[in-house]
C-alpha cells in the first residue's frame, strides 16, 4: 500500500477513491516539509546517462512508517526536480518495499522562475495595496487604507473596521508562512542542484580513471 500511495501522490498512477484521502493528506503534508542536509545523500541515484538524458533513482520505503511517507515524498520530488534541471528528460523511479521493487517512468518537470516584475513608483505601490485590500475585504466601503494595515490610526477605527483588519492580518500571516515555505524549497533546490552537479562530476571523473 505504501508504494501505491507514493505512486498516486507522484501522479504516476490515477488516484483511487479508496486512497484519495490518504494521498491528499500525504501530499499536503509533503508541501509543508523542508529538508535538511541529510537529503544530499546520493545513494538513491543509480544511474544518470547524459547521452540519453535518462536517470534511474531507487528509493527504499521498507523502513518508512506511513507517517514518514510525506518526508519521503518531499525528498523524491526535490530529487526529480534537481535531475530535471540537470538535464534528465526521463526518470525511472524504483520504489522498494520489503524486497519487492515497483518501477515507473516519469517525465520530470520543475517550476520555472517568474520573471522580475517591471519597476514601479511609490504611487503604483500604493494603488496596488489599495486594490489588494479591496479584493480581500470591502476596504473602500469601510473607509480603510493601507496605513491602517501597518497599525497606524487604529484608535480612530470602529469595531467593524478593526474586525475586518484582523481578518486581513490573519489571512496575511498564512500567506507569509506559505511564501516562506516556497522560499525554503527554492533554496533546497539550489543546494541540491549544486550537490548533484558535484556528484555527477565526481562519478564522471571516476569513470574516466577506470574506478567505476
Amino acid at each position: 500500500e505504501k508504494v501505491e500511495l507514493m505512486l498516486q501522490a507522484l501522479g504516476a498512477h490515477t488516484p483511487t477513491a479508496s486512497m484519495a484521502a490518504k494521498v491528499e493528506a500525504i501530499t499536503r503534508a509533503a508541501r509543508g516539509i523542508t529538508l535538511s542536509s541529510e537529503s544530499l545523500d546520493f545513494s538513491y541515484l543509480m544511474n544518470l546517462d547524459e547521452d540519453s538524458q535518462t536517470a534511474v533513482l531507487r528509493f527504499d520505503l521498507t523502513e518508512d512508517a506511513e507517517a514518514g511517507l510525506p518526508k519521503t515524498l518531499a525528498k523524491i520530488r526535490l530529487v526529480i526536480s534537481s535531475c530535471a534541471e540537470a538535464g534528465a528528460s526521463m526518470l525511472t523511479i524504483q520504489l522498494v518495499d520489503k524486497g519487492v521493487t515497483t518501477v515507473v517512468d516519469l517525465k520530470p518537470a520543475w517550476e520555472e522562475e517568474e520573471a522580475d516584475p517591471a519597476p514601479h513608483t511609490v504611487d503604483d505601490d500604493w494603488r496596488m495595496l489599495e486594490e489588494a485590500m479591496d479584493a480581500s475585504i470591502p476596504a473602500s466601503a469601510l473607509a480603510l487604507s493601507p496605513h491602517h494595515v501597518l497599525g497606524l490610526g487604529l484608535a480612530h477605527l470602529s469595531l467593524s473596521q478593526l474586525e475586518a483588519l484582523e481578518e486581513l492580518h490573519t489571512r496575511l500571516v498564512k500567506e507569509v508562512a506559505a511564501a516562506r515555505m516556497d522560499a525554503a524549497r527554492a533554496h533546497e533546490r539550489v543546494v541540491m542542484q549544486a550537490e548533484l552537479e558535484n556528484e555527477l562530476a565526481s562519478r564522471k571523473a571516476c569513470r574516466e580513471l577506470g574506478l567505476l
Side-chain angles (χ1 to χ4, degrees):
E1 183 179 89
K2 289 188 294 185
V3 170
E4 183 59 29
L5 283 171
M6 294 297 288
L7 290 174
Q8 291 187 27
L10 288 168
H13 284 182
T14 302
T16 59
S18 61
M19 290 189 172
K22 286 186 177 181
V23 170
E24 172 61 25
I26 290 172
T27 302
R28 185 171 56 249
R31 293 194 193 104
I33 292 175
T34 55
L35 300 167
S36 61
S37 59
E38 64 179 312
S39 306
L40 305 180
D41 169 18
F42 289 94
S43 59
Y44 50 77
L45 180 60
M46 307 302 294
N47 183 46
L48 195 153
D49 190 319
E50 296 178 2
D51 294 331
S52 61
Q53 294 185 321
T54 60
V56 179
L57 308 170
R58 183 180 179 90
F59 297 91
D60 195 335
L61 308 180
T62 304
E63 301 299 326
D64 284 350
E66 191 170 303
L69 290 182
K71 184 174 182 179
T72 301
L73 177 61
K75 180 177 181 178
I76 293 176
R77 283 181 166 174
L78 176 60
V79 172
I80 289 175
S81 176
S82 297
C83 286
E85 294 184 29
S89 59
M90 182 61 70
L91 300 178
T92 296
I93 309 294
Q94 301 176 357
L95 297 178
V96 183
D97 186 23
K98 298 178 181 177
V100 178
T101 301
T102 302
V103 180
V104 63
D105 291 328
L106 293 177
K107 187 174 180 61
W110 66 93
E111 298 178 2
E112 296 183 0
E113 295 183 0
E114 295 183 2
D116 292 334
H120 45 264
T121 65
V122 173
D123 289 339
D124 291 332
D125 288 338
W126 194 261
R127 186 180 66 257
M128 290 169 61
L129 282 171
E130 290 177 333
E131 291 174 353
M133 286 182 63
D134 268 333
S136 302
I137 57 175
S140 56
L142 291 171
L144 293 172
S145 66
H147 72 267
H148 291 130
V149 178
L150 300 176
L152 303 176
L154 298 184
H156 304 292
L157 299 181
S158 67
L159 179 60
S160 60
Q161 289 174 313
L162 291 171
E163 288 175 345
L165 274 179
E166 184 178 22
E167 178 183 345
L168 178 59
H169 274 282
T170 300
R171 188 177 305 142
L172 285 174
V173 167
K174 294 179 180 179
E175 291 177 359
V176 168
R180 179 178 58 81
M181 188 62 64
D182 289 342
R185 281 195 289 263
H187 175 70
E188 286 175 347
R189 287 197 297 271
V190 171
V191 173
M192 172 69 81
Q193 181 63 23
E195 293 291 334
L196 179 58
E197 289 175 357
N198 290 337
E199 177 71 13
L200 294 178
S202 176
R203 293 190 183 191
K204 183 177 181 180
C206 288
R207 283 196 300 269
E208 291 174 348
L209 293 172
L211 300 178
L212 286 180

